[in-house]
Amino acid sequence: MTAAELIASIASTVMSTTLAIVALIFSHRQSVGWAPVAFASKPVMSGTGGSWEFTITVTVEFWNRRRYPVALRFVRADITGVDILDVRSTLEVPRSFAHKNCVYTEPDAVVGPQTSSQVEVAIIFKDQSLDALKPQFDFKIGYFDPRANKEEELQFSFKAFYLEMGWNKTEGERSEFMKTYDRLREDYEARPDKAEEKQALKTLLDDPSLPAPEARAKRSRSQPPKGNNDVRERFRDDLSRDRA
């Protein structure tokens, strides 16, 4: 066998082996599918006038690209750039809790093949200037792969960009915004009419003759308030508008 024939034989063998490996990989992917992926999107921010509280909600999408179902176990988000309220950050989401700037949710959902599942992660923060915030969510998502018979994890980060936030500001600018915000809030809380307003609002909300908040909301949807409750409702609305 000449040198040219030897080289041609080796090249043919290498090419055949490569084609066989590629075909095997594609055959495997067609059989079991591709690994699941996840990402975050749709940051939405809302606030309550006069309460100094804001909520940021981020939607996490988990896409199962396997040819068989997988179980979505948990979604964990470690938040930096903003101090969240531990107790209220779950917004009554079942099997969820928040602690030390971490939100943990257990969807406990089975995601079918070639389908997706969405989980909303909401945080509540208070007494912080929006211009000084740079909220970043470091996500860890756990799921169970029945074919591999083991727990798997996905990790990624998401920066919640929103109007008026401090992503494009320097540390010095963010610090100045926070100082200005604290000064304005202290001036607002020190207003002479604040003590009287707080006491009036507390007396109104603690009045045992008023229905519970849930019953009051349900009643307002079905029929207008009657009697003295009508006066109290108007008074509370006036207070809310003044606070806003």
Side-chain angles (χ1 to χ4, degrees):
M1 179 181 293
T2 63
E5 292 175 340
L6 180 61
I7 293 174
S9 177
I10 294 175
S12 176
T13 302
V14 171
M15 184 177 297
S16 299
T17 303
T18 302
L19 290 175
I21 293 175
V22 171
L24 182 62
I25 293 175
F26 274 93
S27 175
H28 174 74
R29 292 303 179 190
Q30 288 294 327
S31 174
V32 302
W34 301 82
V37 296
F39 60 90
S41 62
K42 305 176 184 177
V44 176
M45 188 172 68
S46 60
T48 303
S51 67
W52 308 95
E53 288 187 3
F54 292 90
T55 302
I56 298 179
T57 304
V58 175
T59 301
V60 177
E61 295 189 31
F62 176 84
W63 286 83
N64 178 24
R65 303 189 298 173
R66 297 295 191 189
R67 296 286 185 176
Y68 49 86
V70 299
L72 182 58
R73 295 298 195 202
F74 67 85
V75 176
R76 170 176 174 153
D78 293 291
I79 296 98
T80 57
V82 58
D83 295 326
I84 68 174
L85 299 179
D86 288 351
V87 178
R88 297 185 55 199
S89 293
T90 55
L91 291 181
E92 300 181 356
V93 176
R95 301 174 63 85
S96 301
F97 68 88
H99 184 60
K100 293 184 178 179
N101 264 41
C102 170
V103 177
Y104 185 89
T105 302
E106 293 183 346
D108 198 19
V110 176
V111 185
Q114 309 296 311
T115 59
S116 66
S117 178
Q118 293 187 352
V119 178
E120 286 189 349
V121 176
I123 63 171
I124 296 178
F125 61 94
K126 184 178 182 180
D127 299 338
Q128 297 170 76
S129 172
L130 298 180
D131 295 288
L133 301 183
K134 298 172 65 176
Q136 176 170 316
F137 295 69
D138 295 319
F139 284 102
K140 181 181 292 185
I141 299 177
Y143 66 95
F144 175 72
D145 188 325
R147 185 176 185 277
N149 194 26
K150 64 178 181 179
E151 301 279 350
E152 301 280 4
E153 288 186 357
L154 299 173
Q155 298 185 32
F156 63 95
S157 296
F158 176 76
K159 296 180 178 179
F161 287 94
Y162 210 81
L163 297 177
E164 301 179 355
M165 285 193 172
W167 287 105
N168 297 324
K169 300 177 178 65
T170 65
E171 291 297 324
E173 290 174 334
R174 294 172 58 237
S175 177
E176 286 299 320
F177 277 119
M178 196 64 201
K179 292 178 181 178
T180 303
Y181 176 88
D182 290 339
R183 185 168 60 253
L184 292 174
R185 183 170 57 84
E186 290 172 359
D187 292 343
Y188 177 80
E189 295 293 340
R191 280 169 40 190
D193 60 330
K194 283 296 293 179
E196 181 180 351
E197 178 183 325
K198 286 181 179 179
Q199 183 59 40
L201 184 60
K202 184 177 186 302
T203 302
L204 174 69
L205 296 180
D206 292 344
D207 191 336
S209 64
L210 285 175
E214 297 81 3
R216 188 161 57 246
K218 183 177 181 180
R219 182 199 61 192
S220 63
R221 290 192 296 267
S222 59
Q223 60 181 359
K226 299 179 181 179
N228 293 333
N229 286 344
D230 189 21
V231 177
R232 294 191 181 95
E233 292 288 348
R234 289 202 305 270
F235 177 61
R236 189 176 64 172
D237 292 340
D238 292 339
L239 286 179
S240 298
R241 283 195 294 272
D242 292 340
R243 289 164 65 95

